[in-house]
Amino acid sequence: MERDNVVFELINKELERQRNGIELIASENFTSLQVMQAMGTSLTNKYAEGYPGRRYYGGCEVVDEIEQLAIDRIKKVFNCEYANVQPHSGAQANAALMLAILQPGDKILGLDLSMGGHLTHGSPVNFSGKYYKPFFYGVKKDNGLIDYEMLEETARKEKPALIICGASAYSRDIDYARIRKVADEVGAFVWCDMAHTAGLIAKGLLNSPFDYCHFVTSTTHKTLRGPRGGIILMKKDFENPFGLKDPKGNTRMMSNLLDMAVFPGTQGGPLEHVIAAKAIAFGELLTDEFGDYMKQVQKNAQAMAKVFTEKGYAIISGGTDNHLMLIDLRNKNISGKKAQETLDRAHITLNKNSVPFDDKSPFVTSGIRVGVPAITTRGMKEDDMKTVVNFIDRVLMDIDNEATITAVKEEVKTFMQQFPLYAGV
Ligand code: DSN
């Protein structure tokens, strides 16, 4: 076959875009080169339905070792008893989890998408809101913090089978103990989707959900800085409460139900090239260097929130405990959409985001979500946050001025040369 230069040129163009821009999408990051390399290997050729040691195809002895390594490493990272590393994405992990523990029509209770939650936590446009009966809690209008009273009241009234915590656009830590308390009272499972904050949790920089949540899911490509993918974890395996038995009449454990819900429940062959990349990333998570990185993420987020606040930007909840912040632009009279599109042209990438109690549609929004995991991977420190916020502020405060956008774009490109990305590639 001839080399497909058309596609490779586009791939190179994307690499240059990533190199020259400031990446502030809170859910993105830059994997290590070895994580990327693992994904472009012969492992992509292999079918391996099943699990290590119990596959439906021959020739799985090598991928068995790789997948087991990924499982063992992530169990060590979070000190937990069970891990499934096959979900192709966070949404797939969440779908499998819900398939394993719910019946169609069961009630679920999650954080409203418009208040910082996630599509797969019961949104009516997602399977989770179509197959199950969703109820929501929100954040408080006066301080932007999770409204635990609302969560408790709704749980007591509706008695959901599942309470979901974890968020996509919430900058504060979560009180898992309080959620578990009401869940026990009403007989619900608790599931934490820690996709955004997993890296901080891994290094003990945020509360851990593991002692309080029956199930924990995550993506592997956000703060965990691995390849795109998902995982399902349990601190402790337990006997499933649904009475399901195996062919020998033994009670199946939750781990069996979860494994079965991933394959064959919602997926076919696992992506062993991605699982190899996960194994590498999980090895990186175990290092002290990764701990230093996560501490810097938290410091950078706090430094950035401070500079935004000094410039009169309204940060929901007044600051951040984690890697991101949600900014309400209504006092600046700019929509999230306009901000995102204009900053994009200055090579500053972030996303528009609804703010709690937003009066604009999700396509327009009143806010932007800003995250620092990717720029911290590039090597930025607290002082650099001032420069980044200054770039953003110059564009937003002069939003229709082409000359400002062009000038900032050039300055961003020069600034980013100090922070090499995949040098030599
Ligand atoms: N797309 C992810 C995010 O940006 O938070 C959620 O799945």
Side-chain angles (χ1 to χ4, degrees), residues 25-28 90-91 117-120 167-169 193 195-196 219 221-222 228 324 351 353 369:
I25 293 178
S27 47
E28 292 190 12
H118 190 253
L119 274 173
T120 55
S168 297
D193 179 350
H196 265 270
T219 52
H221 48 273
K222 297 186 175 92
R228 302 196 78 79
L324 64 77
N351 63 282
N353 214 104
R369 187 183 64 163

Side-chain angles (χ1 to χ4, degrees), residues 342-343 346 391-399 404-405 408:
T342 315
L343 287 166
F391 285 142
I392 295 172
D393 186 54
R394 273 169 63 198
V395 172
L396 295 185
M397 291 304 100
D398 204 9
I399 200 150
T404 303
I405 298 168
V408 171

Side-chain angles (χ1 to χ4, degrees), residues 74 77-78 80 94 121 164-168 174 176 191-202 206-210 215-220 222-224 231-233 285 323:
I74 198 68
V77 168
F78 290 106
C80 61
N94 296 353
H121 300 180
I164 308 163
C165 50
S168 297
I174 295 175
Y176 302 107
W191 156 36
C192 172
D193 179 350
M194 62 167 186
H196 265 270
T197 49
L200 292 153
I201 291 168
L206 288 176
N207 293 336
S208 170
F210 283 91
F215 311 102
V216 179
T217 60
S218 184
T219 52
T220 48
K222 297 186 175 92
T223 47
L224 291 186
I231 42 174
I232 305 177
L233 308 168
L285 287 178
H323 61 299

Side-chain angles (χ1 to χ4, degrees), residues 110-227:
L111 178 62
D112 199 311
L113 180 60
S114 70
M115 303 267 172
H118 190 253
L119 274 173
T120 55
H121 300 180
S123 163
V125 296
N126 182 261
F127 78 91
S128 55
K130 288 181 190 291
Y131 295 154
Y132 309 108
K133 193 161 180 221
F135 294 87
F136 298 101
Y137 56 94
V139 299
K140 290 190 171 162
K141 203 166 189 171
D142 57 341
N143 60 15
L145 299 179
I146 286 177
D147 189 341
Y148 290 98
E149 287 82 22
M150 182 182 183
L151 186 160
E152 286 160 348
E153 274 165 30
T154 316
R156 287 186 188 118
K157 180 159 177 264
E158 300 300 339
K159 303 212 170 1
L162 174 66
I163 300 179
I164 308 163
C165 50
S168 297
Y170 183 69
S171 63
R172 296 303 189 177
D173 208 347
I174 295 175
D175 188 346
Y176 302 107
R178 184 164 178 181
I179 297 173
R180 176 62 185 259
K181 195 159 177 275
V182 72
D184 283 347
E185 199 184 309
V186 303
F189 281 130
V190 186
W191 156 36
C192 172
D193 179 350
M194 62 167 186
H196 265 270
T197 49
L200 292 153
I201 291 168
K203 291 299 176 185
L205 299 170
L206 288 176
N207 293 336
S208 170
F210 283 91
D211 286 333
Y212 302 103
C213 301
H214 301 88
F215 311 102
V216 179
T217 60
S218 184
T219 52
T220 48
H221 48 273
K222 297 186 175 92
T223 47
L224 291 186
R225 210 163 65 176

Side-chain angles (χ1 to χ4, degrees), residues 295-327:
K295 280 183 204 142
Q296 192 62 50
V297 164
Q298 216 171 26
K299 283 189 210 159
N300 283 353
Q302 283 164 12
M304 180 179 268
K306 188 163 176 278
V307 189
F308 269 124
T309 306
E310 284 163 4
K311 288 187 178 295
Y313 288 86
I315 297 184
I316 303 295
S317 85
T320 180
D321 298 329
N322 56 31
H323 61 299
L324 64 77
M325 64 215 72
L326 187 58
I327 301 177

